[in-house]
Amino acid sequence: MNKRQALSVIGRFPFALAAIGAGVSMVGCTEEKASFNSIDITGADYAKGFQLTDADGKQRTLADFKGKLVVLFFGYAQCPDVCPTTMTEMAQVKQQLGADGNKLQVVFITVDPARDTPAVMKAYMEAFDASFVALIPTQEQLAALAKEYKVYYKKVEGKTPTSYSMDHSAASFVYDQTGRLRLYTRYGAGVPAMVSDLRALLKA
């Protein structure tokens, strides 16, 4: 095909070529969506934040941790398995993130404020990682938080007035570095899955 014939062919199909060009352009500009092991709840209209007192008596809000990934969990210090397992795993997650570990903030909100005093919660967090923050709501604040976060908690009476246990939701909420709710992580997901998800958020 000589130059004149080529120009003739192009002249017959200008719209087709334009469409092809636009398609290539669109493919090049499409942002690849991150894939997570946890449930992606980006844009969810709940779990928007908190204003609670920490174990040092300081008022804390989600905005205090801007610039860090936040993993928030509801539990209590006398929890026999789920809570210590989750906190142990989060300490391992922080270690496995290496240099990015300082970009992670674990927040633990007690569902047992009657027994989880500031001294108890401070010691409990330090048993896993001293950087973890424990928040202690009043009973009224806890009820409001449960509604805002759609979590469950219930006191289960024991043999004595102080030997009760607490049934509670066992998932974690993950916020990105801007404070936006992103992920819902079920209990038992494991350390590798959480590390992978947090690295993906750091790259986003």
Side-chain angles (χ1 to χ4, degrees):
M1 181 182 294
N2 58 35
K3 184 176 181 180
R4 179 175 296 176
Q5 291 172 322
L7 289 173
S8 176
V9 170
I10 292 173
R12 294 177 204 168
F13 305 103
F15 298 108
L17 290 173
I20 293 172
V24 171
S25 177
M26 287 174 66
V27 170
C29 294
T30 300
E31 182 180 351
E32 185 177 350
K33 187 176 180 180
S35 177
F36 299 108
N37 298 291
S38 303
I39 301 171
D40 189 342
I41 55 173
T42 303
D45 191 29
Y46 67 98
K48 294 179 181 179
F50 50 82
Q51 184 174 351
L52 300 170
T53 304
D54 68 14
D56 291 319
K58 183 180 178 181
Q59 284 289 310
R60 296 284 197 150
T61 69
L62 186 60
D64 291 338
F65 309 114
K66 191 171 183 180
K68 292 187 177 186
L69 300 175
V70 174
V71 177
L72 185 152
F73 179 81
F74 289 84
Y76 69 112
Q78 294 192 42
C79 178
D81 41 36
V82 172
C83 302
T85 297
T86 300
M87 291 297 102
T88 298
E89 288 183 346
M90 288 313 305
Q92 293 171 357
V93 167
K94 183 180 177 181
Q95 290 178 339
Q96 292 190 24
L97 285 172
D100 287 331
N102 62 1
K103 298 176 183 176
L104 170 65
Q105 181 61 63
V106 174
V107 175
F108 185 103
I109 299 179
T110 179
V111 296
D112 186 18
R115 292 182 298 186
D116 287 346
T117 64
V120 168
M121 292 314 299
K122 191 165 187 177
Y124 190 69
M125 291 296 97
E126 289 177 350
F128 303 103
D129 190 294
S131 73
F132 291 1
V133 172
L135 301 177
I136 307 169
T138 63
Q139 293 290 354
E140 293 74 17
Q141 288 174 322
L142 179 57
L145 277 171
K147 184 176 181 180
E148 168 63 20
Y149 278 80
K150 302 182 186 300
V151 296
Y152 167 83
Y153 72 97
K154 182 181 179 180
K155 182 177 180 179
V156 180
E157 298 296 343
K159 294 181 179 179
T160 67
T162 59
S163 67
Y164 62 86
S165 62
M166 299 293 296
D167 283 347
H168 63 93
S169 300
S172 298
F173 298 86
V174 182
Y175 298 82
D176 65 21
Q177 291 172 289
T178 69
R180 183 172 57 153
L181 180 62
R182 299 298 302 274
L183 304 174
Y184 180 85
T185 305
R186 291 194 177 101
Y187 172 70
V191 172
M194 179 64 87
V195 171
S196 175
D197 285 352
L198 295 182
R199 288 196 185 283
L201 286 176
L202 287 172
K203 292 178 181 178

